[in-house]
């Protein structure tokens, strides 16, 4: 059985008289330690898939299994636990707490976890050993995203979910962030899922899931994924 599986997942949004099918019968699998990119144009349903996989939103139909746990059957209290212990989130705009230092941002997230990793060590891993006591406003965009990745990794999650993690960064800085995500996947066996509209980064993944109009358009396996230089 695959580490993660979505089977015939459907998600609709009702807005008054209008119903939008954001995810329309999506099925795919992800193996443990895989680096997966979900790519597609704006409105394709990527964020909805990520939200469902991360337990932030419930689906209307279908089955979602993560490491043997049936997420699609969890109640809201169980989903809160799942989000807290099992999932690390990385967002486009970092979502750091501005009046806490890099170290404090990571420590705060680690505090509420079962088996957190030492905050300082994780910040060193992402290359911020010299920036522990800086506030977000004193860090560049790329550095802030590194703090956000450290915060997610310190939770020691089963799965790292990244929503357009390079979307607010210039090309070079974005590449460095992708390299960090790819290295984390390779070196720590972390399962990483990135959603993006940027098709240029697709060759770096083990598996690329192309979505279009709420459906899987095609799934491409990269036999030898491009290392991020
Ligand atoms: P993507 O991340 O690929 O841009 P989304 O998952 O955000 O796509 O959106 C898929 C579709 O679902 C879009 O048509 C969007 O307008 C709609 N949608 C997403 N979230 C909501 C919501 N909370 N309420 C209503 N419609 C939504
Ligand atoms: P970028 O080129 O990514 O926009 P910046 O020019 O914002 O980066 O920052 C370059 C370096 O200067 C970064 O290492 C950042 O940590 C540091 N830096 C930026 N602003 C401040 C500040 N207000 N206080 C301390 N260090 C800062």
């Amino acid at each position: 059985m695959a580490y993660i599986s979505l089977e015939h997942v459907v998600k609709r949004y009702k807005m008054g008289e209008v119903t939008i099918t954001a995810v329309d019968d999506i099925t795919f699998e992800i193996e443990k330690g895989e680096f997966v990119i979900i790519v597609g144009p704006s409105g394709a349903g990527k964020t909805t898939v990520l939200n469902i996989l991360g337990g932030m939103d419930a689906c209307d139909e279908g089955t979602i299994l993560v490491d043997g746990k049936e997420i699609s059957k969890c109640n809201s209290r169980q989903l809160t636990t799942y989000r807290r212990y099992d999932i690390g989130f990385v967002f486009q705009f970092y979502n750091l707490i501005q009046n806490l230092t890099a170290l404090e941002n990571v420590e705060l997230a680690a505090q509420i976890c079962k088996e957190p990793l030492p905050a300082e060590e994780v910040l060193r891993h992402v290359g911020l050993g010299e920036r522990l006591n800086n506030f977000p406003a004193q860090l560049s965009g790329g550095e802030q995203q590194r703090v956000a990745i450290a915060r997610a990794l310190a939770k020691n999650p089963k799965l790292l979910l990244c929503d357009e993690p390079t979307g607010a960064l210039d090309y070079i800085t974005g590449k460095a962030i992708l390299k960090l995500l790819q290295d984390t996947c390779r070196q720590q066996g972390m399962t990483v899922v990135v959603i993006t509209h940027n098709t240029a980064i697709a060759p770096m993944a083990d598996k690329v899931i192309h979505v279009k109009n709420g459906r899987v358009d095609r799934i491409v396996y990269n036999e030898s994924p491009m290392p991020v230089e």
Side-chain angles (χ1 to χ4, degrees):
M1 198 172 66
Y3 189 58
I4 295 166
S5 74
L6 277 77
E7 281 179 40
H8 302 295
V9 171
V10 175
K11 175 69 186 179
R12 301 182 193 94
Y13 291 109
K14 286 194 179 58
M15 296 191 295
E17 297 292 294
V18 185
T19 300
I20 291 171
T21 307
V23 170
D24 187 7
D25 195 0
I26 276 189
T27 297
F28 63 75
E29 292 183 341
I30 295 173
E31 303 301 334
K32 192 172 169 62
E34 229 173 9
F35 184 30
V36 175
I37 292 181
I38 301 177
V39 69
S42 177
K46 304 181 297 296
T47 306
T48 306
V49 168
L50 206 75
N51 287 347
I52 290 171
L53 194 49
M56 290 184 284
D57 212 344
C59 61
D60 296 310
E61 291 174 30
T63 309
I64 299 144
L65 283 165
V66 177
D67 194 17
K69 194 184 290 183
E70 192 168 347
I71 305 310
S72 38
K73 284 225 175 94
C74 288
N75 61 32
S76 67
R77 191 184 52 80
Q78 291 167 321
L79 283 182
T80 303
T81 308
Y82 168 72
R83 283 195 303 270
R84 180 176 296 178
Y85 295 147
D86 294 346
I87 309 294
F89 294 102
V90 174
F91 306 97
Q92 181 174 2
F93 296 108
Y94 332 126
N95 295 13
L96 299 175
I97 299 174
Q98 294 299 316
N99 59 355
L100 297 181
T101 64
L103 185 61
E104 288 165 346
N105 264 283
V106 176
E107 281 172 345
L108 183 70
Q111 265 172 25
I112 59 164
C113 298
K114 262 186 290 201
E115 294 167 347
L117 304 174
E120 212 176 304
E121 210 171 282
V122 182
L123 278 161
R124 283 187 209 292
H125 164 77
V126 302
L128 290 182
E130 308 298 311
R131 288 276 186 268
L132 302 178
N133 298 314
N134 285 65
F135 291 93
Q138 299 170 324
L139 299 171
S140 70
E143 289 170 331
Q144 290 185 62
Q145 192 59 298
R146 284 173 192 274
V147 176
I149 292 170
R151 176 180 60 184
L153 292 177
K155 291 171 68 178
N156 201 3
K158 286 182 178 162
L159 175 62
L160 189 63
L161 298 179
C162 313
D163 188 348
E164 296 280 3
T166 65
L169 303 171
D170 63 64
Y171 178 74
I172 301 281
T173 311
K175 267 179 95 163
I177 292 298
L178 282 173
K179 178 164 169 45
L180 175 61
L181 293 172
Q182 198 187 45
D183 285 350
T184 301
C185 190
R186 297 285 178 268
Q187 292 162 10
Q188 304 184 18
M190 177 71 66
T191 309
V192 179
V193 179
V194 172
I195 64 167
T196 182
H197 65 273
N198 183 3
T199 49
I201 71 175
M204 291 147 197
D206 299 315
K207 182 190 283 174
V208 187
I209 301 169
H210 294 261
V211 294
K212 213 161 118 181
N213 298 325
R215 290 173 166 263
V216 174
D217 190 41
R218 63 187 196 281
I219 298 179
V220 178
Y221 296 86
N222 290 326
E223 288 299 325
S224 43
M226 228 164 79
V228 187
E229 295 303 338

